[in-house]
Amino acid sequence: MKKKSFGFLMIAFLMLLLAACGGGDDSGEDSEKNNADNGNGSEGTEEQYKIGILAPEVTHGWVAAVAYHAEERVKELGDQVDYQIQTSSNAEQMTSQLDDLMTWGADAIVAFPQWEGMEVPIQNAIDSGITVVNFDIAIDVEGVYRVAGDNEDMGVQGANYIVDKIGEEGNVVVLEVPSSGSVSELRTKGFEETMAEIAPDMNLMTYATEFTREDGLADFADILTSVEDIDAVYSIDDETSVGVLQAIQEAGRTDIQVVTGGGGMQEYFEMMPENEDIWIQSALYSPVMVKDAVDIAIDVLNGEDVEAETIIPTTVVDRDNYEEFLDENSPY
């Protein structure tokens, strides 16, 4: 019995000793450290924002890519963002979707309005406290942010590219797209003004077309029958240029040395190394820029200082660097 009592006393003594050794403040520090390591502490947590994206229904491969890259970006942001993407075919439908996003509780909306009549609903959204970033389209609304490419500089780069390849004299067909409004006006303006400065003796011949390969093919096939000697083509859209290249091939013409484009079309990029006798160029007005619009919305919500307008500089793509811009998942 004495041995058994002694054993119990020894166990009790050891338990008291261990409790005394572990009774300091270190346990609290370890607990706080564990919470921080597990992400349970208040520091380091990020607020989740609701981001709405409004885009037109697909009428052009470029438009499809805008929605694609916008969704890619919000997915990349992971748990930082809860998002909805809506597409519409007119201003009335986009206005209804804008109301739905406001009801949903959107903190910010990235909008790509291609129609007149969006000024009032977007102003109402801003006045209600929602951050609105317009992609591409300029709109007369107080407090809106805008992200866009530089349409006029695309023309400047096209003129410089053609002169670099064919010299300061030659015959250049200019393909404008009157139905696209300011887009065509600015790209053509940048081209013509720059050409007047750097190659005033260049012969410019202007024709109208559309932003489709079918129109590029049909319109340029007609041009080829009436113009015997062409050194370069200033086209402002990649899809149009795909049609232009098909017309050149079908006509068996070998005089054309340069075809420009605009946008950032994957199929067009892949044609660049295949056409060794023609320099194929694209002045990027990339749909990837919509990712910048999403990032700016997040920056504003985080309280950072952001310029009201962000213009993305023009990048020129040709056979020398096209591989840097390939994206097999892009719809455009």
Side-chain angles (χ1 to χ4, degrees), residues 208-239:
T209 188
E210 295 291 340
F211 283 154
T212 70
R213 68 182 67 198
E214 293 79 12
D215 286 291
L217 170 60
D219 293 333
F220 201 69
D222 289 342
I223 293 168
L224 288 173
T225 62
S226 59
V227 183
E228 294 183 358
D229 185 23
I230 301 172
D231 296 292
V233 180
Y234 175 64
S235 168
I236 63 176
D237 178 74
D238 290 349
E239 288 208 42

Side-chain angles (χ1 to χ4, degrees), residues 21-316:
C21 292
D25 293 335
D26 289 344
S27 62
E29 291 177 4
D30 289 343
S31 178
E32 290 177 7
K33 182 178 184 298
N34 289 335
N35 284 339
D37 289 344
N38 293 329
N40 298 323
S42 60
E43 294 185 5
T45 58
E46 295 179 338
E47 183 177 355
Q48 185 182 64
Y49 295 118
K50 288 186 173 182
I51 307 294
I53 297 169
L54 294 176
E57 290 181 354
V58 177
T59 55
H60 186 281
W62 190 87
V63 175
V66 170
Y68 164 77
H69 287 292
E71 186 166 14
E72 283 294 295
R73 184 58 185 142
V74 289
K75 286 180 178 178
E76 289 166 1
L77 292 169
D79 294 339
Q80 297 180 49
V81 169
D82 185 13
Y83 71 93
Q84 288 189 16
I85 294 181
Q86 306 276 1
T87 60
S88 53
S89 58
N90 53 55
E92 183 179 2
Q93 190 176 7
M94 182 171 278
T95 298
S96 176
Q97 293 170 349
L98 179 61
D99 292 339
D100 290 342
L101 289 176
M102 293 174 66
T103 302
W104 174 59
D107 298 298
I109 294 172
V110 175
F112 183 20
Q114 289 193 312
W115 312 279
E116 295 180 358
M118 290 304 301
E119 291 83 1
V120 172
I122 287 179
Q123 187 69 70
N124 290 340
I126 293 172
D127 292 343
S128 71
I130 297 174
T131 296
V132 178
V133 182
N134 260 25
F135 176 65
D136 187 32
I137 306 298
I139 191 168
D140 187 17
V141 172
E142 185 177 353
V144 71
Y145 296 88
R146 178 175 177 244
V147 174
D150 193 335
N151 279 303
E152 188 168 342
D153 187 53
M154 291 172 70
V156 172
Q157 299 303 324
N160 286 322
Y161 192 87
I162 288 174
V163 171
D164 179 64
K165 299 304 181 187
I166 72 170
E168 297 178 5
E169 295 183 11
N171 296 321
V172 179
V173 169
V174 178
L175 296 176
E176 61 180 5
V177 183
S179 63
S180 69
S182 63
V183 172
S184 181
E185 292 171 6
L186 289 169
R187 294 181 188 182
T188 304
K189 176 177 180 287
F191 178 79
E192 292 177 342
E193 290 183 354
T194 303
M195 196 64 82
E197 292 177 6
I198 65 175
D201 295 327
M202 195 75 76
N203 178 33
L204 305 182
M205 299 167 283
T206 302
Y207 298 86
T209 188
E210 295 291 340
F211 283 154
T212 70
R213 68 182 67 198
E214 293 79 12
D215 286 291
L217 170 60
D219 293 333
F220 201 69
D222 289 342
I223 293 168
L224 288 173
T225 62
S226 59
V227 183
E228 294 183 358
D229 185 23
I230 301 172
D231 296 292
V233 180
Y234 175 64
S235 168
I236 63 176
D237 178 74
D238 290 349
E239 288 208 42
T240 304
S241 299
V242 171
V244 167
L245 289 165
Q246 183 179 344
I248 293 171
Q249 182 181 23
E250 292 179 356
R253 293 284 288 262
T254 59
D255 50 326
I256 300 166
Q257 304 171 53
V258 181
V259 174
T260 70
M265 183 182 184
Q266 295 295 308
E267 180 183 351
Y268 188 57
F269 290 164
E270 291 171 354
M271 297 173 73
M272 292 174 175
E274 297 172 358
N275 290 265
E276 297 180 356
D277 296 329
I278 301 177
W279 281 98
I280 300 175
Q281 177 255 35
S282 179
L284 289 193
Y285 199 100
S286 175
V288 178
M289 292 185 296
V290 75
K291 291 188 175 185
D292 293 276
V294 173
D295 289 344
I296 283 174
I298 299 295
D299 289 343
V300 173
L301 293 175
N302 285 333
E304 298 182 21
D305 291 331
V306 175
E307 295 288 337
E309 186 173 69
T310 301
I311 302 298
I312 309 298
T314 304
T315 299
V316 171

